[in-house]
Amino acid sequence: MIRQKAEMTVNHCVGGPYYRMDVACPDIAADAEPGQFVMIRTDGGEGAFLARPFSIHRCHKEHGITLLYKVVGKGTREMAALQAGGFLYVVGPLGKGFETGSGLGRTAMVGGGVGVAPLVFLAERLAEAGVGMENNTVYLGGATETDILCRDRFAETGMAVRVATEDGSDGEKGLVTDVLINDLAGNASAPDMVFACGPLGMIAALDRIARQYGIPCQISFETMMACGIGACLGCAVPVNKGSMPYLHACKDGPVFDSRMIDWKSLQK
């Protein structure tokens, strides 16, 4: 884990409330793995906010990392207003990322809105490792076409791209999980693993789908954190395995095997 003040070199809107930011922190990038995150805080002033977690979207080991974020509150509005050459306080890489191991010939990635952020890093890392990306499919979902992100980047890795929007403005009309179900029902070759990040309802549905088809599923939790290192205990996740009733997204995750999660307690 590295703490540093880092220069922000690129910060621009990619559509609607979504922004992409490049941060010059090569030492953090050198150790980062897909699914890990960083804690970000703006550089002082009266408007400074507590550090917030952001998934590492892309990793450029000689230059730093890219973040993909959605402007939803005061902190992200401050980030969006930063100009190139401004500085951020960065801590990372943090948390436990996706486990890829060996033998992954066919995967499905499912991203809801800005939940695609860590999946791009994962797809690029798998492609670099020589995984045949033509056997991998990414499912992108959102409320409307503005929420469909990174389609071209996934396609560049060789992945098939499936899109669903709730209003039908892009791709199939409906939920992205329904598109996955339809593909699984009509495909004799199920994926070896499902990787996912997105809203709670989506990842809970994916756990049910994965169980139905006997597919391992790794999910990345989108949750607020105050410290990012397990000190504040504010990101507790109820689990149904082991002696502890809770794990913490910052140090035990943010990526979990979906079968570990006590979904009934979580959704309360």
Side-chain angles (χ1 to χ4, degrees):
M1 180 182 70
I2 298 169
R3 301 173 183 267
Q4 70 174 100
K5 184 177 180 179
E7 182 181 2
M8 185 273 294
T9 58
V10 175
N11 190 29
H12 64 94
C13 180
V14 296
Y18 299 102
Y19 281 69
R20 184 175 288 120
M21 172 183 286
D22 289 348
V23 184
C25 50
D27 290 340
I28 290 176
D31 293 334
E33 296 294 335
Q36 290 188 298
F37 66 98
V38 292
M39 298 294 288
I40 295 286
R41 182 170 63 83
T42 55
D43 183 26
E46 293 183 0
F49 62 105
L50 291 174
R52 291 290 182 264
F54 294 91
S55 294
I56 299 173
H57 173 49
R58 299 186 70 185
C59 186
H60 321 277
K61 291 189 175 182
E62 295 182 358
H63 305 289
I65 61 173
T66 299
L67 307 177
L68 180 68
Y69 65 99
K70 182 178 182 180
V71 176
V72 294
K74 180 179 179 181
T76 45
R77 285 196 299 270
E78 288 186 14
M79 288 175 61
L82 285 175
Q83 301 297 312
F87 287 86
L88 299 164
Y89 292 99
V90 188
V91 181
L94 299 169
K96 181 178 74 71
F98 294 107
E99 295 182 5
T100 54
S102 59
L104 283 182
R106 183 186 300 270
T107 72
M109 300 183 192
V110 187
V114 78
V116 304
L119 300 179
V120 169
F121 187 7
L122 175 62
E124 292 178 337
R125 182 61 61 85
L126 290 177
E128 290 171 2
V131 173
M133 299 307 285
E134 67 278 3
N135 296 321
N136 294 261
T137 302
V138 62
Y139 296 81
L140 306 178
T144 188
E145 59 184 344
T146 307
D147 301 313
I148 303 302
L149 305 167
C150 307
R151 182 200 326 243
D152 292 345
R153 184 64 203 119
F154 284 112
E156 287 170 4
T157 69
M159 299 184 74
V161 181
R162 304 277 275 128
V163 173
T165 50
E166 293 176 33
D167 65 0
S169 56
D170 193 356
E172 298 187 36
K173 184 175 182 178
L175 301 176
V176 70
T177 48
D178 291 336
V179 178
L180 175 62
I181 290 173
N182 291 337
D183 284 358
L184 289 173
N187 189 343
S189 299
D192 303 312
M193 180 72 70
V194 174
F195 299 102
C197 183
L200 178 59
M202 187 198 85
I203 58 175
L206 285 170
D207 173 69
R208 295 191 295 271
I209 295 167
R211 289 173 188 267
Q212 177 183 349
Y213 286 91
I215 306 168
C217 179
Q218 295 180 43
I219 52 94
S220 177
F221 268 97
E222 294 182 320
T223 185
M224 295 303 297
M225 302 176 190
C227 71
I229 58 173
C232 71
L233 307 182
C235 57
V237 178
V239 294
N240 53 28
K241 290 187 177 182
S243 59
M244 299 294 291
Y246 292 95
L247 295 176
H248 294 88
C250 64
K251 65 175 185 176
D252 302 307
V255 177
F256 294 91
D257 182 327
S258 69
R259 294 166 295 188
M260 294 179 59
I261 307 304
D262 183 347
W263 293 102
K264 186 177 295 185
S265 296
L266 184 66
Q267 291 179 301
K268 288 181 181 178

